Amino acid sequence: MGPMLRWALAFAAVLGLAAWFLTAPGRITAAELSQFEPDVEHGERIFLAAGCASCHTAPEGTQRGNGTDGPGGTGPVLAGGQRFVSDFGTFLAPNISSDETHGIGAWSDAALVTAIMEGTSPDGAHYYPVFPYAAYGLAERGDIVDLVAYMRTLPASDVPSQPHEVSFPFTLRRGIGLWKLAFRQTDWAVPGPLSEPAERGRYLAEALGHCAECHTPRNSAGGLRFSEWLAGAPVPDGPGRVPGITPALLDWSQADIAYYLETGLTPDYDSAGGHMVAVIDKLSQLPQEDRDALASYLVELPGR
Amino acid sequence: MTHTIPLRLALGLALPFAVLAGIATAESHADKAGMAAMKARQAHMSLYAYNLGQLGGMAKEQMPYDAQAAGAAASNLAALARLDQQGYWPEGTAHGEMEGSDALPEIWTSMEDFDAKSEALVQAADTLEAQAGTDLAGLQSAMGDVGKACGACHKLYRKSDD
């Protein structure tokens, strides 16, 4: 073996090792959560703002799919099964109900917080970024601890999770580690300065509400184009577009935006459609100050 | 009888054209009927929007609350929701089939659910009618369910904005 070849092999080995470590799934430990006292009631507010039920309830038209409340009004049944079409395959939302076998009932708090904020499963695999953990990773850990405590109070469903319909090479989960390195949002997309309500709005929009997942266009690898933040994007599974919502693209007043988030009615008294209807169903249950905060954030966005 | 063959030939040639012309006329009749249905349902939506606008302006407190005007607009809305709309949805008028249509094809494969969602609007509009003329708080609280009823249908059955 020539010295050049030996060097090349050593170099490749170092690169491979570095890549392996860099793509390692992140984890949050129980010790890191010990300082937080779970608050179930506040957890419901986080749950609504984060829109978990918009994707994790059963598809509309199925047995449990059309309500937000389970039997007896005990909260939504997070049975999963909704399909999310993408250029990389079709993802099926899993059962995240409190069922111990088919849902998350048997998971530890640390495992759940790790899943939500790091996108890592209990057995150490990366989740596909269809799960908006990049956004949730920007949230306050204490809020996610509250969210987890609330989720445990929701009804159980024994409907098994369905496998994603994804083909090679996207079946190689370790590759998602590279995707996370390259495209995962690690800080606010809108650095500010913002007014105090708009800062709260930024937290609700960028961390919990993950508005950008639909309203921001993506690059060919599925990463968000941060330079076109909230500028609108194609509807992934049908005709039409998700509208741009920056001030340059949406000339609604702050009051009009807040009223839309409450009732779904636009300033022209048309109504929301598509997936936004599910989003408004949750936002309408938040305190008025949260909808006002979201509206502040949107009107203070840099114009594009 | 020397002209028999040319006559037959002429008839033979004319017949397919006549049949084609008949089909074309029938098609354009269907087109016109479909276009009229699409325009009617879009006009119906404009009437909803106009009356909702009166109510919404007051609910948002951009216009002073006027019990009489609110009651009238809410009655219009309830009457509009009750109109029989079965003739609005002929086949061939979905988005992709007819220029200008935002109606998704799922309407025609889920007519039962579609009808149930129209019925939900009737319910919400009735509640609004009962409350809108009472006081501002009554109007404001009933608007949410009307908006939800609009959205429930638009969620599944209308194409998203371009």
Side-chain angles (χ1 to χ4, degrees), chain A residues 130-206:
Chain A
V130 63
F131 177 22
Y133 50 75
Y136 297 154
L138 299 171
E140 300 290 335
R141 271 189 194 165
D143 282 351
I144 303 302
V145 168
D146 295 349
L147 167 68
V148 161
Y150 172 73
M151 284 172 68
R152 295 195 190 282
T153 70
L154 294 176
S157 161
D158 58 5
V159 176
S161 295
Q162 302 298 310
H164 298 312
E165 295 162 8
V166 174
S167 46
F168 186 82
F170 306 115
T171 44
L172 298 174
R173 297 260 186 155
R174 193 76 186 198
I176 302 168
L178 279 176
W179 188 94
K180 284 178 172 174
L181 276 177
F183 303 119
R184 183 179 179 183
Q185 187 179 354
T186 51
D187 201 354
W188 303 122
V190 179
L194 297 170
S195 70
E196 198 178 308
E199 271 189 21
R200 167 73 182 160
R202 177 175 66 185
Y203 181 68
L204 292 167
E206 294 193 21

Side-chain angles (χ1 to χ4, degrees), chain A residues 182-240:
Chain A
F183 303 119
R184 183 179 179 183
Q185 187 179 354
T186 51
D187 201 354
W188 303 122
V190 179
L194 297 170
S195 70
E196 198 178 308
E199 271 189 21
R200 167 73 182 160
R202 177 175 66 185
Y203 181 68
L204 292 167
E206 294 193 21
L208 298 179
H210 59 279
C211 311
E213 296 290 328
C214 296
H215 284 281
T216 298
R218 293 174 184 277
N219 62 29
S220 56
L224 294 175
R225 292 185 193 275
F226 294 103
S227 62
E228 294 170 60
W229 191 247
L230 302 179
V235 171
D237 60 349

